Amino acid sequence: MMIVVAAGALGLLAFAADAIDGFVLRQVVTALVSSGLAWGLAAVLAGRTAPDRRAAVVGATALLVSATLVYYLLILVVSRRWSGGSPGDWYGLRSLAVMTTAWLLVSMVAGPSLGLLGRMTRTAPMARAALAAGVACGLLSGQGWQEILLTPPGLPWAIRGPDAVLVHGIGAVRLVEVIVPLAVLAWLATRRRLWRAWPVLFLAMVVTATLSALFWRLLGTAANHLG
């Protein structure tokens, strides 16, 4: 029941974030409720609270799949932003169907992994729990690192005038996408006293964050071509 409620909330909040006026505010809310960080963290927590491995896999996967269906169903029925007049409707529907399918596939791949990682942080021996916590942090922060690395060094602070507030606000959002996973890692490590295995924790985080950033880069490129 909690999985159903959480999935509905995730999909609804992501849909609501799209309608927020103000670019910076929309970016902030999107980072908190409609991003790889937000949905991935929900899947990790679903796995962490699951009673066994099967429940962790099924629960986390069902959460992401259901939230994806809720989000795109709301777009299809409520906002109808795919609709662009008679000739454009078919293209809009095709694009919506492609994106829905793509994110469902991502959910079915990411759900089991994130669910198991979440459970391992609570139940596995220290070394494996530290590995799982580091990997989870790397996966959750990958999108933020990818966006930060795409920004030329010093560019945000070189901009002056009316655009400065906008650019600095976006930069703050990117930092949030990295700081929140690190805070989650600190919480997980403190709960299980995983700091004693800090080399495993740190190495797992760095390697996974690098691979995750590359994944988000490739996914963004593919989405631009498919959309």
Side-chain angles (χ1 to χ4, degrees):
M1 182 62 181
M2 288 301 298
I3 293 296
V4 174
V5 173
L10 276 178
L12 183 59
L13 288 172
F15 177 75
D18 294 340
I20 293 177
D21 291 329
F23 182 77
V24 174
L25 179 59
R26 184 166 64 251
Q27 290 289 308
V28 172
V29 175
T30 296
L32 294 175
V33 303
S34 182
S35 64
L37 165 61
W39 288 37
L41 178 57
V44 169
L45 293 178
R48 193 174 192 279
T49 56
D52 53 51
R53 287 172 58 89
R54 182 178 182 278
V57 170
V58 173
T61 305
L63 173 65
L64 295 181
V65 168
S66 300
T68 299
L69 291 174
V70 169
Y71 174 70
Y72 282 106
L73 184 62
L74 287 171
I75 292 176
L76 177 66
V77 177
V78 179
S79 72
R80 295 179 59 86
R81 68 182 189 222
W82 52 269
S83 178
S86 297
D89 284 354
W90 289 110
Y91 177 79
L93 281 172
R94 172 189 168 277
S95 178
L96 183 65
V98 169
M99 293 306 300
T100 303
T101 302
W103 283 111
L104 284 175
L105 291 174
V106 171
S107 297
M108 287 186 286
V109 172
S113 302
L114 293 172
L116 286 176
L117 286 172
R119 177 166 169 75
M120 286 175 63
T121 62
R122 182 171 64 89
T123 62
M126 180 177 294
R128 291 176 58 196
L131 176 65
V135 170
C137 178
L139 291 174
L140 295 177
S141 63
Q143 187 176 14
W145 285 118
Q146 182 262 156
E147 291 166 344
I148 288 174
L149 292 174
L150 285 178
T151 304
L155 177 62
W157 311 111
I159 296 177
R160 297 290 184 269
D163 293 334
V165 174
L166 177 65
V167 174
H168 294 166
I170 295 173
V173 172
R174 303 310 178 221
L175 289 177
V176 167
E177 292 177 331
V178 171
I179 291 172
V180 170
L182 291 175
V184 172
L185 177 65
W187 173 68
L188 292 173
T190 301
R191 288 294 299 269
R192 286 290 311 276
R193 299 181 180 179
L194 301 178
W195 299 119
R196 286 177 288 179
W198 69 265
V200 175
L201 198 72
F202 180 75
L203 183 60
M205 179 188 66
V206 171
V207 172
T208 310
T210 302
L211 295 175
S212 180
L214 178 60
F215 165 79
W216 282 107
R217 176 60 175 166
L218 295 175
L219 186 64
T221 302
N224 289 335
H225 282 88
L226 292 173

